[in-house]
Amino acid sequence: TGSTRPQRLLRAVQKKATQGDPQSVIATIDDFCRHSEWAMNVGDEKGLILDSIVSEVNPSTALELGTYCGYSTVRIARLLPPGGRCITLEFNPAYAAVARQVIAWAGIQDKVQLVEGPSGDLIPQMKELFGVQTFDFVFLDHWKDRYLPDAKLLEECGLLREGTVLLADNVICPGTPEYLQYVRNSPRYESRYFKSHLEYTKVEDGLEKSVFLG
Ligand SMILES: Oc1cc(-c2ccc(F)cc2)cc2nccnc12
Ligand SMILES: [Mg+2]
């Protein structure tokens, strides 16, 4: 009955990060993952690319698929304009429980709505549950075999608009070949690869930015 890695990550945040300071929460998690225990956060290197794209889009409504411990949720939410919000979906209740506390420690819980459940079931409910019209930005960072079906589901549910930006993590490692093939060949997307590395390692990975053309 020991602790889990997400619980140890949370303990490090509550011990070392300044409450209400998102940047210190981010730095604490990166330090924990680099020097104590690797964990599958988007990390500092890919995180800077995420930051630059979120800042460029300046989303009023952002969707994150795959919360894990809330690291990228904090990265995204800290950059939102006033009144902006991030809806984040997490399948694993234990991850969601840790993420809620990480997000609260960062002090940005008022900008975030964390929903537990399978993305395939929740995406069709976004309009009725949260009054979402369309998303300005979507960060795909959950199970790799869900990227393509969930992108198609977002299209079918009318949740994307001309200019919506989809940003996908891990397109090389672990890899999402079907999703990449789709967004790179579909006339409905303008896609670009941002080469980087798997979080906290020298292994190649990258982010794929795909603009929905309507
Ligand atoms: O960023 C990530 C990395 C990995 C991952 C795990 C083990 C490895 F060896 C390599 C990579 C899995 C992920 N699952 C969901 C969302 N993001 C992930
Ligand atoms: Mg990832």
Side-chain angles (χ1 to χ4, degrees), residues 46-62:
K46 289 186 289 180
L48 285 173
I49 301 167
L50 171 65
D51 287 358
S52 68
I53 293 167
V54 171
S55 300
E56 173 196 18
V57 174
N58 201 36
S60 298
T61 312

Side-chain angles (χ1 to χ4, degrees), residues 36 45 60 90 102 147 166 193 207:
S36 301
E45 188 180 317
S60 298
E90 178 51 58
V102 167
Y147 281 30
L166 274 65
Y193 176 61
L207 301 168

Side-chain angles (χ1 to χ4, degrees), residues 38 40-42 46 141-144 147 169-170 173-174 198-199 205:
W38 185 92
M40 60 179 175
N41 316 116
V42 74
K46 289 186 289 180
D141 191 23
H142 54 336
W143 300 131
K144 310 312 154 198
Y147 281 30
D169 190 24
N170 310 117
C173 177
L198 177 68
E199 48 267 26
D205 188 22

Side-chain angles (χ1 to χ4, degrees), residues 26-211:
I26 292 163
T28 299
I29 294 172
D30 285 332
D31 184 77
F32 175 83
C33 293
R34 204 171 275 288
H35 304 300
S36 301
E37 301 185 63
W38 185 92
M40 60 179 175
N41 316 116
V42 74
D44 46 358
E45 188 180 317
K46 289 186 289 180
L48 285 173
I49 301 167
L50 171 65
D51 287 358
S52 68
I53 293 167
V54 171
S55 300
E56 173 196 18
V57 174
N58 201 36
S60 298
T61 312
L63 174 66
E64 176 180 59
L65 303 178
T67 316
Y68 186 45
C69 295
Y71 173 90
S72 47
T73 323
V74 171
R75 287 201 84 112
I76 293 164
R78 85 192 202 287
L79 297 174
L80 294 175
R85 61 176 174 160
C86 180
I87 296 171
T88 183
L89 311 185
E90 178 51 58
F91 176 74
N92 181 315
Y95 293 169
V98 164
R100 288 189 201 284
Q101 296 175 80
V102 167
I103 290 161
W105 197 267
I108 44 98
Q109 66 284 347
D110 295 346
K111 292 177 168 291
V112 174
Q113 286 167 297
L114 196 165
V115 192
E116 289 178 44
S119 53
D121 296 353
L122 292 171
I123 286 168
Q125 300 179 58
M126 284 294 109
K127 296 197 175 193
E128 66 187 288
L129 278 181
F130 298 106
V132 172
Q133 300 304 317
T134 56
F135 289 109
D136 305 307
F137 177 80
V138 182
F139 184 49
L140 296 91
D141 191 23
H142 54 336
W143 300 131
K144 310 312 154 198
D145 56 14
R146 288 298 318 175
Y147 281 30
L148 183 52
D150 284 349
K152 289 183 172 175
L153 194 53
L154 286 162
E155 289 176 28
E156 287 151 16
C157 294
L159 286 164
L160 305 182
R161 53 133 175 113
E162 186 177 336
T164 297
V165 170
L166 274 65
L167 186 66
D169 190 24
N170 310 117
V171 298
I172 303 300
C173 177
T176 63
E178 298 87 0
Y179 173 79
L180 274 189
Q181 196 272 341
Y182 178 73
V183 289
R184 290 177 175 175
N185 295 285
S186 165
R188 304 188 76 184
Y189 292 92
E190 185 59 47
S191 214
R192 178 185 158 193
Y193 176 61
F194 290 76
K195 184 178 162 79
S196 186
H197 295 93
L198 177 68
E199 48 267 26
Y200 318 113
T201 77
K202 292 183 167 42
V203 174
E204 181 177 346
D205 188 22
L207 301 168
E208 188 82 2
K209 176 192 176 187
S210 307
V211 183

